[in-house]
Amino acid sequence: MSNQLPPFHAFKPDDQSPIVVIVALNFIVISLLVTFIRAVIAFQRRLDFQLDDAAFGVSLVFAIATSSTFYRAVPAGLGRHQDTLKDGEVATYFKARDNGDLCSLIS
């Protein structure tokens, strides 16, 4: 059993980051699936590309950016207690969180 890979993210009592990773990756997959279903329905009904489709596409881009930003915030400390973070990690965490919040508002 020595050829097994280590876990993607380890769940620990003081590190809840695997929850953030799971949610972020699921949001990306669900967003892409919804977009694909919407495109298939529009194609089957032979609908033209309109303004609402463009708005939906822009929203998809920002939704993926939000999930990606929160996923990238995990190494910076998202999911851990602030007391366990170093000074540089706290600043990076807040920058990533604020960026994720901004993308979420735009989407």
Side-chain angles (χ1 to χ4, degrees), residues 48-99:
D48 292 334
F49 187 81
Q50 296 183 359
L51 185 60
D52 65 323
D53 298 319
F56 193 83
V58 170
S59 178
L60 172 69
V61 169
F62 280 104
I64 291 174
T66 299
S67 295
S68 299
T69 302
F70 283 125
Y71 176 76
R72 296 301 305 154
V74 167
L78 185 61
R80 291 185 280 161
H81 294 285
Q82 188 172 351
D83 302 342
T84 64
L85 301 177
K86 300 173 187 156
D87 289 337
E89 289 178 327
V90 172
T92 305
Y93 159 73
F94 279 113
K95 287 178 186 176
R97 191 198 68 183
D98 292 344
N99 187 19

Side-chain angles (χ1 to χ4, degrees), residues 6-59:
F8 190 57
H9 281 279
F11 188 78
K12 302 172 191 164
D14 61 337
D15 187 2
Q16 307 295 315
S17 62
I19 296 171
V20 176
V21 171
I22 291 168
V23 170
L25 294 177
N26 279 328
F27 278 160
I28 290 173
V29 170
I30 290 170
S31 297
L32 290 172
L33 282 174
V34 168
T35 303
F36 177 74
I37 291 169
R38 180 181 167 107
V40 167
I41 291 171
F43 180 74
Q44 286 180 346
R45 294 185 179 195
R46 291 171 174 62
L47 299 175
D48 292 334
F49 187 81
Q50 296 183 359
L51 185 60
D52 65 323
D53 298 319
F56 193 83
V58 170
S59 178

